[in-house]
Amino acid sequence: MKITKIISNLILLTIFGLGIISCADKATPLSENNIIPKPLSVIEAGGSFTLTNETKLVGLGNASEINPVIEIFQSLIKPSTGFDLQKAESGESNVIVFEIESASQKSPGEYAISIDENSIKITASNGEGLFNGLQTLRQLMPASLEGKDLATEKIKIGAGQIQDKPEYAYRGFMLDVARHFFSVEDVKHVIDLVSKYKINFLHLHLSDDQGWRIEIKSWPLLTEIGSKTEVGGGEGGFYTQEQYKDIVAYAQSKFITVVPEIDMPGHTNSALAAYGQLNPGITVPEKGAVPFDRTELGVDGMATPLYTGIEVGFSTLDTDKDITYQFVDDVIRELVEMTPGPYIHIGGDESLVTELEDYIPFMEKAQAIVTKYGKKSLGWDEIAHAKLEPGAVAQYWAKAENAVLAINQGNQVLISPATRTYLDMQYDSTTQLGLHWAAYIELDDAYNWDPTELDSAVKRENILGVEAPLWSETITNREEIEFMLFPRLAAIAEVAWTKKDLRNWDSFSERLKKHTARWDAMGLNYYKSPKLVWEEKK
Ligand code: TNX
């Protein structure tokens, strides 16, 4: 072979070789992102940004709002890269800028990201917007970022611009800690998971027939007696006020507002088991009734047995007695004292043994107490039979006609149709966990609907937002929570965040399929829905 030929072959090999290397290191173009929920607009540009150990983090604007978000970013990057990213006052290249604009036009939660070779800049009008931007940026980085192990992958992010803002201001998830109790650590884990999908409200269902889960200092037997069991007869549990405040603060650090629920006047057997004075004398179904030894506590003879079954609708507070309203006032007052968010949820569902003529004044008085303590009431859709206070919200779960009653009173509705958003419903008839009284809810059922299409009287402006409840009659631990949430929570989060005309199943399912690499890296126990076409894993 001639020497020139050898040289030209060597040159070709080098170019080819470099080509392979740079290919492996290439950033995914921004337009090929798999961001969930889908942003408002993504515009791709040439080039990419590379994150290194030298990348500096710059905050512009109100430091007390920005620094916590920067800290979340630092701890997100550290485990899989080993990078100890430092803050800097300013910088021209290799910087990530977190900016809260003064006099911003952006709504709360809205953000923009611009990426070029030298910098990434996230801008927002508040910390929540920056945090949302961070959750998007996280999904532009390799899946290995979600794992705990050190990965060698380079972090390259395709250049371009993202504009994004939520369709609905309230994007909620509800956890039923009454039917089965979940520890503070489990609740924090759930907060971590749902915050990745820009969920910003956590509704805690804190009381039901089977258990009272929040310490109320003025009525101590609620927890001393009422918390002692759960569905199936386990030991139950409750949050002390300190623990509840810890959950609230943790949620706040992820820009999630806690909405505490005390379900009334039905779903109250655990309270009636503690304080017989509240009981009008209706008995508990035998199946699931657990006598509680009160000899040392000397409780009123009207107290009911504890209850571990799942049948609903048999209990009610005595709506005629003054002591009942003292009870409601004390409970709401103590809840308000530890709840910075605007809403107290007062339940109101399935009060099947409360006459409507008793139910209506009860729900009106309960709302007035919430208002007196400076908060707004949320209640299940039946609450709309009562006169609603201004700003009170009805949570549509079963009956569109109740949602319409609320709207006709000038109030907004929170959308949680049991047939679409109930994460305790089985995926299909073969899935072990869950119930199916409302529907089987496969991934596409959770995705292919829109809050504005439920009833012609429920218009966009009547809707505060969307919430996905996880009732826990059949759910007992963290792995089971994960299984019922994922992938459906990702679908509902997109329904709540992304405008209807930007959403479609083909795009969602394509993105989600690739997105599951992140769940694999996290070790998440998610349901492998047959609605996604799974590629063989090598
Ligand atoms: C209905 S939804 C209920 C809950 C149950 C749930 C089970 C609602 C307001 N009430 O008490 O846990 O069904 O799916």
Side-chain angles (χ1 to χ4, degrees), residues 179 267 349-350 380 397 422 424-425 435 437 471 473:
R179 272 52 178 274
H267 290 270
D349 59 314
E350 299 172 321
W380 298 105
W397 67 281
Y422 269 30
D424 63 317
M425 292 298 119
L435 306 172
W437 65 263
W471 301 99
E473 286 91 337

Side-chain angles (χ1 to χ4, degrees), residues 405-422:
L405 283 179
I407 290 164
N408 290 344
Q409 296 193 52
N411 293 72
Q412 280 199 306
V413 290
L414 177 61
I415 301 291
S416 303
T419 52
R420 300 290 188 172
T421 64
Y422 269 30

